[in-house]
Amino acid sequence: QVQLVESGGGLVQAGDSLRLSCVASERTFSSYAMGWFRQAPGKEREFVASINWSGGSTSYADSGKGRFAISRDNTKNTVYLQMNSLKPEDTAVYYCAADSWYSGARASMYRYWGQGTQVTVSS
């Protein structure tokens, strides 16, 4: 069982930056693909970014391209989401997810999920 704990959310103004972190309990973290998703009130959970086990391959939703960057540090069992130039429409609960082989955009394919961290961007 992999436990994931997100942190780094908060209330910021439009144009600001935030870096989210997700720490995994699993000692074989380096073998897991990781993803970031978000869910705004009244909306479905949507893909934000993903990264493969080594960090050599990343993928982004169009909404975050050029503004968001996903990275990982396997020595710290941590995946990051750097978010720049934040917009009010980025307001959501952000979740990290892990899977032993899937690294795509489909939330249903990820086996493990964190509890989420709230990001609120004011205009």
Side-chain angles (χ1 to χ4, degrees), residues 44-102:
E44 293 186 356
R45 192 167 296 189
E46 64 175 8
F47 172 73
V48 176
S50 64
I51 189 167
N52 74 336
W53 65 273
S54 69
S57 178
T58 59
S59 181
Y60 295 93
D62 288 344
S63 59
K65 284 182 180 177
R67 299 189 299 128
F68 295 177
I70 188 171
S71 61
R72 66 190 297 161
D73 185 342
N74 288 341
T75 66
K76 296 181 179 179
N77 283 14
T78 303
V79 62
Y80 304 99
L81 183 69
Q82 177 68 42
M83 303 187 294
N84 301 323
S85 302
L86 283 162
K87 305 174 181 179
E89 51 263 45
D90 294 319
T91 295
V93 177
Y94 283 71
Y95 299 89
C96 71
D99 195 83
S100 59
W101 68 274
Y102 182 77

Side-chain angles (χ1 to χ4, degrees), residues 5-9 19-23 36 78-81 96 117:
V5 179
E6 302 97 332
S7 63
R19 188 176 79 159
L20 306 183
S21 300
C22 173
V23 179
W36 283 100
T78 303
V79 62
Y80 304 99
L81 183 69
C96 71
T117 184

Side-chain angles (χ1 to χ4, degrees), residues 107-123:
S108 62
M109 298 297 289
Y110 286 84
R111 182 171 182 181
Y112 302 104
W113 290 84
Q115 294 300 306
T117 184
Q118 176 71 46
V119 172
T120 304
V121 184
S122 64
S123 58

